[in-house]
């Protein structure tokens, strides 16, 4: 029953560097630390550097992880990941970015041989500001292409390909942000709710009602292939008590205007959070 983590985070030759090695014994069991999973061995390397007069930012990270679940090593899971990011600042708040990420998996299952799979993602994003008269319009655009091939139990696998496009425009009304978000996801999956083809449009407005209370209101339309079409609204209230306690309460409701599947047709969520500042 042992666990150890050795890491280095620092700067060498004007470059950011992170190296870590982790080893956890098979008998280790501490649910209070989610970073240490029993039977796990992991090594990783991260590198970052700014070039072109600090206008371009390059980042690369890789790690290898192996987790053993039994003393005889009849069930072993391995994962190898690579992540490359390039960002370029054009002028002011205008920027563009490109990301490539891939993870390869190999699971040795007792009595079932081995199962392999991989997840990969290409992503391009950008931010730019336009002037409409005396008003600024801040824009964010993201385009992502993803491929899933996850090994499952009983010689099955979950496979999916999807393309995601997201656009958000934000402006200020009396120093309070008003935003409009459009999201389009094209997928060959029709069963998993969070990765089907869908389209949504949502508008949000956040504003202060006093020096201690802030409200956020939103409305939207959501169309999910194979599931439902919904109209929704959201109301959030945030406040500070005694200059130390931050409280957040949010209520969101979606009503199906076209029911395709009864599951998740009408949705009501209430979330609450508290944070103490010392």
């Amino acid at each position: 029953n042992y666990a150890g983590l050795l890491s280095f985070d620092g700067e060498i030759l004007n470059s950011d560097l992170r190296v870590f090695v982790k080893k956890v014994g098979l008998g280790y069991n501490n649910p209070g630390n989610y970073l240490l999973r029993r039977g796990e061995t992991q090594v990783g390397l991260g590198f970052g550097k700014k070039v072109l007069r600090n206008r371009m930012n390059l980042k690369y990270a890789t790690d290898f992880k192996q987790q053993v679940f039994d003393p005889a090593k009849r069930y072993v899971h391995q994962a190898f990941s690579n992540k490359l990011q390039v960002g370029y600042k054009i002028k002011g708040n205008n920027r563009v970015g490109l990301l490539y990420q891939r993870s390869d998996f190999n699971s040795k299952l007792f009595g079932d041989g081995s199962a392999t799979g991989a997840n990969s993602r290409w992503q391009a994003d950008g931010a730019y500001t336009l002037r409409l008269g005396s008003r600024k319009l801040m824009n964010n655009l993201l385009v992502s292409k993803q491929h899933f091939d996850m090994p499952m139990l009983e010689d099955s696998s979950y496979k999916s390909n999807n393309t995601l496009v997201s656009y958000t425009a934000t402006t200020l009304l009396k120093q309070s942000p008003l935003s409009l978000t459009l999201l389009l996801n094209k997928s060959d999956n029709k069963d998993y709710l969070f990765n089907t083809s869908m389209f949504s449009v949502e508008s949000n407005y956040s504003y202060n009602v006093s020096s201690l209370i802030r409200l956020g209101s939103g409305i939207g339309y959501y169309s999910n292939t194979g599931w439902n079409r919904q109209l929704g609204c959201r109301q959030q209230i945030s406040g500070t008590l005694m200059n130390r306690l931050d409280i957040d309460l949010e209520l969101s409701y979606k009503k199906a205007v076209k029911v395709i599947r009864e599951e998740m047709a009408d949705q009501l969520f209430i979330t609450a959070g508290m944070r103490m500042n010392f």
Side-chain angles (χ1 to χ4, degrees), residues 158-162 186-191 195-197:
Y158 171 73
K159 296 183 179 181
S160 175
N161 294 280
N162 72 289
K186 181 65 175 178
S187 173
D188 57 6
N189 166 66
K190 295 183 179 180
D191 297 317
N195 193 34
T196 62
S197 293

Side-chain angles (χ1 to χ4, degrees), residues 81-96:
S81 301
N82 287 280
K83 182 179 180 181
L84 176 64
Q85 289 179 277
V86 180
Y88 185 75
K89 185 177 182 180
I90 301 173
K91 184 179 180 181
N93 294 324
N94 298 335
R95 60 165 185 83
V96 293

Side-chain angles (χ1 to χ4, degrees), residues 9-204:
D9 291 270
E11 185 176 301
I12 296 180
L13 299 177
N14 296 322
S15 302
D16 297 325
L17 181 66
R18 181 173 190 262
V19 182
F20 69 91
V21 179
K22 178 168 60 177
K23 180 68 176 178
V24 184
L26 187 61
Y28 184 83
N29 185 16
N30 180 12
N33 191 333
Y34 68 94
L35 296 176
L36 300 175
R37 291 174 285 267
R38 68 184 185 93
E40 184 179 66
T41 301
Q42 186 177 12
V43 294
L45 169 68
F47 171 83
K49 188 174 181 61
K50 292 183 178 181
V51 296
L52 300 180
R53 297 181 180 179
N54 295 329
R55 299 184 69 174
M56 178 175 285
N57 192 11
L58 305 174
K59 293 182 179 180
Y60 173 73
T62 182
D63 71 77
F64 172 78
K65 178 174 63 177
Q66 174 176 281
Q67 190 169 8
V68 179
F69 294 89
D70 65 291
K73 297 184 178 180
R74 294 172 298 181
Y75 183 17
V76 179
H77 176 71
Q78 296 178 338
F80 179 60
S81 301
N82 287 280
K83 182 179 180 181
L84 176 64
Q85 289 179 277
V86 180
Y88 185 75
K89 185 177 182 180
I90 301 173
K91 184 179 180 181
N93 294 324
N94 298 335
R95 60 165 185 83
V96 293
L98 181 66
L99 176 146
Y100 174 72
Q101 185 173 9
R102 180 182 174 92
S103 297
D104 291 270
F105 309 98
N106 182 29
S107 296
K108 178 183 177 183
L109 306 176
F110 176 66
D112 293 323
S114 62
T116 61
N119 294 339
S120 62
R121 174 165 63 112
W122 282 99
Q123 177 178 300
D125 63 273
Y128 58 99
T129 301
L130 297 176
R131 279 196 171 273
L132 301 177
S134 60
R135 191 177 301 281
K136 283 185 178 181
L137 186 65
M138 295 160 282
N139 303 272
N140 288 274
L141 178 65
L142 180 146
V143 180
S144 175
K145 176 69 174 179
Q146 295 179 305
H147 171 72
F148 295 92
D149 186 1
M150 291 290 295
M152 308 289 284
L153 298 177
E154 300 179 353
D155 296 327
S156 63
S157 63
Y158 171 73
K159 296 183 179 181
S160 175
N161 294 280
N162 72 289
T163 301
L164 173 70
V165 179
S166 174
Y167 169 74
T168 299
T170 304
T171 189
L172 296 178
L173 296 181
K174 298 181 179 180
Q175 304 304 313
S176 297
L178 172 66
S179 66
L180 177 68
T181 300
L182 301 175
L183 189 147
L184 174 65
N185 186 54
K186 181 65 175 178
S187 173
D188 57 6
N189 166 66
K190 295 183 179 180
D191 297 317
Y192 182 49
L193 174 62
F194 301 103
N195 193 34
T196 62
S197 293
M198 68 165 295
F199 170 77
S200 69
V201 54
E202 189 175 67
S203 179
N204 292 280

